[in-house]
Amino acid sequence: PDSEEIWLAAFKLEFENGELERARVLLAKARERLTESARVWMKSALVEREAGATDAERELLNKGLEKFPTFWKLWIMLGQLEERAGSDDIKARDAYAQGTKKCPTSVPLWIALAEFEVKRGNTSKARIILETARSKNPANEHLWLAAVRQERAHGNGELADSTIARALQECPNSGLLLAESVRMAPRPQRKSKSVDALRRRDDDPFIIAAIAILFWNDRKIDKARSWWNRAVTIAPDIGDHWASYYKFELQTAGEAAADAVALRCARADPHHGEVWCAIRKRVENWHIPTVEVLKKVAADLDEMSVALGK
């Protein structure tokens, strides 16, 4: 059959059972049969990443990009591969930069290129990259958020404040940006910022989670618990919120309460969240259960540094 979904479902079954060779054979056949499927090339490269076969992964990505130059995920995977290989910054930078030229509306590619430059100490260059990205993708909350966080990470508090103000002018109802404004606010302004954010978006899970963190930081445990519960009920697919809720219960109520949150998280099987996706996508975490991902994300998150404006 020439159905992409059927081929990829068959691949997934073998891959998740650790049958890499059988997965390889299936995907090789799929590449011959499904000549218009970029996803098949992406999955083929993922198999080689799991196997640690860097040269084979690079070859598949390059061949895939010859066929599908506007499929942004192949560009970002190539950049990540060259970063992991660690031999040559030029190759990684070129992969991300070429990707942004071929896929100028791909926000994750622009952010990956900016983060690449930040890691190498090129903060001014990263700032210009994000400005260019916003000019090509106006009113994009993720690009604005990346810019705000870049300035905060480098101690540029005033610039971060002016950037979040500009961001909210362009995206006045963005839950992500309103939540960030709540987290960034000095203690005397937190209540008013929270009220303003809720007035604009009273059902946004990011704002609700930001307020839960503030209650947690202030040791208002019952209120924090209520807001965490509300956040995961409204948007059960956001893994970061489950992880923070789990950590909150572990620290304030003990293992039994935390385990109850973990069980709910496993049932929800989240697939989104900034830290959740980053940890889930590491090769060593591809096949571990949801609860194990939850615990790793909980250990990685640093809610209190956010609440304290650090």
Side-chain angles (χ1 to χ4, degrees), residues 69-231:
T70 58
F71 189 60
W72 68 268
K73 288 185 178 180
L74 293 177
W75 287 109
I76 212 164
M77 286 174 67
L78 184 59
Q80 290 167 347
L81 179 151
E82 299 301 354
E83 278 200 78
R84 287 195 313 275
S87 55
D88 189 346
D89 277 1
I90 294 171
K91 286 183 180 178
R93 180 180 285 115
D94 188 57
Y96 293 132
Q98 285 293 323
T100 60
K101 289 185 177 115
K102 298 286 186 183
C103 317
T105 59
S106 169
V107 169
L109 259 175
W110 285 105
I111 292 174
L113 178 58
E115 287 178 348
F116 173 84
E117 296 298 351
V118 165
K119 281 184 265 187
R120 278 141 191 86
N122 303 326
T123 51
S124 296
K125 194 169 184 180
R127 189 179 293 124
I128 292 166
I129 287 164
L130 290 175
E131 286 170 359
T132 305
R134 293 197 301 275
S135 72
K136 295 179 184 294
N137 301 276
N140 185 280
E141 60 183 354
H142 297 283
L143 289 170
W144 277 111
L145 184 61
V148 172
R149 288 184 174 172
Q150 182 190 313
E151 301 306 344
R152 287 185 72 198
H154 289 87
N156 301 325
E158 288 186 13
L159 200 45
D161 288 341
S162 64
T163 303
I164 192 81
R166 287 166 56 212
L168 284 167
Q169 284 178 341
E170 201 168 293
C171 311
N173 295 311
S174 161
L176 277 174
L177 294 171
L178 287 165
E180 194 75 2
S181 74
V182 169
R183 286 192 291 264
M184 288 171 63
R187 186 178 284 274
Q189 295 176 25
R190 284 178 185 168
K191 187 171 182 179
S192 63
K193 288 281 186 185
S194 300
V195 169
D196 178 57
L198 287 170
R199 182 178 54 78
R200 297 197 211 184
R201 294 286 306 276
D202 66 351
D203 61 346
D204 185 89
F206 296 101
I207 295 170
I208 291 164
I211 292 170
I213 290 172
L214 295 185
F215 280 134
W216 181 6
N217 185 52
D218 289 340
R219 305 298 298 167
K220 294 178 179 175
I221 302 303
D222 290 342
K223 283 186 177 181
R225 178 174 292 114
S226 173
W227 285 76
W228 277 128
N229 188 55
R230 191 174 161 197

Side-chain angles (χ1 to χ4, degrees), residues 273-290:
E274 194 176 343
V275 180
W276 185 276
C277 289
I279 286 178
R280 172 54 101 182
K281 286 177 181 176
R282 291 176 192 161
V283 173
E284 66 270 21
N285 298 330
W286 282 356
H287 304 296
I288 65 173
T290 299

Side-chain angles (χ1 to χ4, degrees), residues 206-277:
F206 296 101
I207 295 170
I208 291 164
I211 292 170
I213 290 172
L214 295 185
F215 280 134
W216 181 6
N217 185 52
D218 289 340
R219 305 298 298 167
K220 294 178 179 175
I221 302 303
D222 290 342
K223 283 186 177 181
R225 178 174 292 114
S226 173
W227 285 76
W228 277 128
N229 188 55
R230 191 174 161 197
V232 298
T233 301
I234 288 173
D237 203 40
I238 302 175
D240 289 13
H241 296 166
W242 282 109
S244 288
Y245 187 12
Y246 170 83
K247 188 199 288 188
F248 164 79
E249 292 293 15
L250 196 61
Q251 290 183 2
T252 61
E255 285 190 19
D259 288 346
V261 171
L263 186 62
R264 288 173 62 193
C265 176
R267 288 188 191 128
D269 190 22
H271 288 83
H272 292 91
E274 194 176 343
V275 180
W276 185 276
C277 289

